[in-house]
Amino acid sequence: MKNPKRNKIPFIVLFLIHTSLLGYSFYKSKNKKQLFSLLMSNTGLTYLLEFFVLNLFDAYRYKPRVMKNNFFDNIFGAILSQAIFVPFTAVFLTVFKLGWVWKLLGGIYFSLIELIFLRLKVYKHNWWRTLYTLILIPIYFKISDWWSFLLIKKNPFIRFISLFLSIMVTEANLLFIFASTRKIRFGFGRYHSWTEHFIIVPLYAISLSLFSTLSFLKQNDWSAKLRVLLMIVGLDWFFKKKKLLKENLHGVDYVAIRILMVLLYGQFRDWVYGTRNKVEVGELEEEMETKMTSD
């Protein structure tokens, strides 16, 4: 009989290493709010990639043996990788302005981890290859540098996407907690499979996050918060009406959680844009006009 603790150890070791990197990055950073936005953006980019690579096309499988259900255990392993191990490292390299040599070493580092995980049988390839990791990781680290630079420059497009990704990551994690505790399940027909659930959930989170970002774009006021709350409640009602969502949450708990999430999303907006009452929505157009004039 296999010992599940044996599978957990490699993930725990990496968790400790990478949380230490992130903690040191925040300790050294002068603008922690901006760094948080970068972290959430980095995580959001990996989540979007994971939606296609793992959820849709089943490229690999994680086996941390933390959760009893194999499907949830696989997703939990992916969350550890895509929300902690890789983004935390990207933030560390960006904060300390480490160049291409370190980025290439980072690609080799994660490739070696992948090979070790395969050897330990806590991770399995279906059609994914370690070569893809070796190539993509350094590119991802460079994107983190560009993203940070554009956040500092207050690029309108990058700030908009940063807020969107921050909300999307939080919503996706919340929905994972709900699903793993059997509070919700998305799907088609009478029986909702977990495969269907984890295909619908990212689309649901993307839709909700886009509407929330647009609502908070001008300002973080009670009108925007109310619009987002009503949209979430309405979207859930629509899904339940069409029998695409099974929910097992008490009404009071559901409303309380949703109010807290809306308040949090408003806070994300202030961290990305600052606490000004209004955002210059025309900044993107002005910047484009300036570039066209200079050209």
Side-chain angles (χ1 to χ4, degrees):
M1 184 176 178
K2 293 183 178 180
N3 183 4
K5 291 183 179 180
R6 175 179 170 274
N7 288 49
K8 295 176 186 177
I9 292 173
F11 291 92
I12 292 172
V13 170
L14 285 184
F15 177 82
L16 293 174
I17 291 172
H18 292 278
T19 51
S20 298
L21 292 179
L22 183 70
Y24 190 62
S25 299
F26 270 93
Y27 173 73
K28 286 293 186 178
S29 175
K30 294 180 180 178
N31 192 336
K32 293 176 174 53
K33 294 177 182 177
Q34 186 172 281
L35 187 61
F36 177 82
S37 297
L38 174 64
L39 172 63
M40 295 296 277
S41 300
N42 284 345
T43 305
L45 292 174
T46 60
Y47 272 28
L48 289 175
L49 177 65
E50 198 80 331
F51 171 59
F52 293 99
V53 172
L54 180 66
N55 294 35
L56 289 181
F57 300 115
D58 195 26
Y60 36 69
R61 184 165 296 274
Y62 293 93
K63 301 177 183 179
R65 296 288 181 89
V66 173
M67 310 190 79
K68 292 181 180 179
N69 184 297
N70 289 335
F71 207 102
F72 283 109
D73 200 50
N74 181 33
I75 298 298
F76 181 73
I79 290 173
L80 288 176
S81 176
Q82 307 304 332
I84 296 178
F85 304 156
V86 178
F88 286 16
T89 307
V91 167
F92 177 82
L93 294 176
T94 296
V95 167
F96 293 99
K97 300 178 180 178
L98 300 176
W100 270 111
V101 172
W102 285 94
K103 290 172 175 57
L104 293 172
L105 288 174
I108 294 171
Y109 166 74
F110 277 105
S111 298
L112 290 174
I113 287 173
E114 196 168 291
L115 293 173
I116 292 170
F117 273 37
L118 289 168
R119 181 81 174 179
L120 295 174
K121 296 182 178 180
V122 298
Y123 172 76
K124 176 186 175 183
H125 280 164
N126 290 328
W127 57 264
W128 189 262
R129 295 294 178 265
T130 303
L131 178 63
Y132 306 156
T133 302
L134 182 63
I135 295 171
L136 291 175
I137 287 292
I139 296 173
Y140 170 75
F141 289 159
K142 188 60 182 178
I143 291 173
S144 175
D145 290 351
W146 291 334
W147 206 282
S148 177
F149 173 78
L150 292 172
L151 274 175
I152 292 170
K153 294 296 182 180
K154 299 182 179 180
N155 180 279
F157 178 74
I158 291 298
R159 290 203 291 182
F160 179 88
I161 299 300
S162 295
L163 178 56
F164 164 75
L165 291 174
S166 297
I167 296 173
M168 186 196 74
V169 167
T170 307
E171 190 67 26
N173 290 340
L174 176 67
L175 292 172
F176 176 77
I177 294 171
F178 281 163
S180 62
T181 53
R182 303 300 194 274
K183 298 298 182 183
I184 65 168
R185 184 186 291 203
F186 289 91
F188 303 97
R190 179 174 293 183
Y191 176 74
H192 294 179
S193 71
W194 288 120
T195 301
E196 293 174 345
H197 172 88
F198 284 105
I199 290 175
I200 295 174
V201 159
L203 300 176
Y204 173 94
I206 288 170
S207 301
L208 189 153
S209 303
L210 181 58
F211 181 87
S212 300
T213 304
L214 290 170
S215 297
F216 283 121
L217 185 59
K218 286 188 177 181
Q219 54 190 6
N220 174 22
D221 60 7
W222 288 106
S223 175
K225 291 183 178 73
L226 183 60
R227 284 199 303 272
V228 173
L229 182 61
L230 290 176
M231 187 270 181
I232 295 172
V233 173
L235 190 62
D236 287 349
W237 176 85
F238 174 80
F239 271 79
K240 285 189 286 186
K241 189 75 174 178
K242 296 298 182 180
K243 297 183 179 180
L244 297 172
L245 171 62
K246 293 180 180 178
E247 187 179 86
N248 186 28
L249 281 165
H250 293 295
V252 175
D253 293 338
Y254 170 79
V255 172
I257 291 170
R258 279 308 180 186
I259 289 174
L260 286 174
M261 288 298 104
V262 170
L263 293 174
L264 181 61
Y265 299 157
Q267 187 64 64
F268 288 166
R269 183 264 174 206
D270 287 345
W271 289 347
V272 172
Y273 285 101
T275 55
R276 292 179 301 168
N277 289 330
K278 293 187 177 181
V279 172
E280 294 295 334
V281 182
E283 283 180 24
L284 181 58
E285 288 80 3
E286 290 178 8
E287 183 173 311
M288 291 176 66
E289 288 178 8
T290 303
K291 286 183 179 179
M292 291 175 65
T293 304
S294 62
D295 292 339

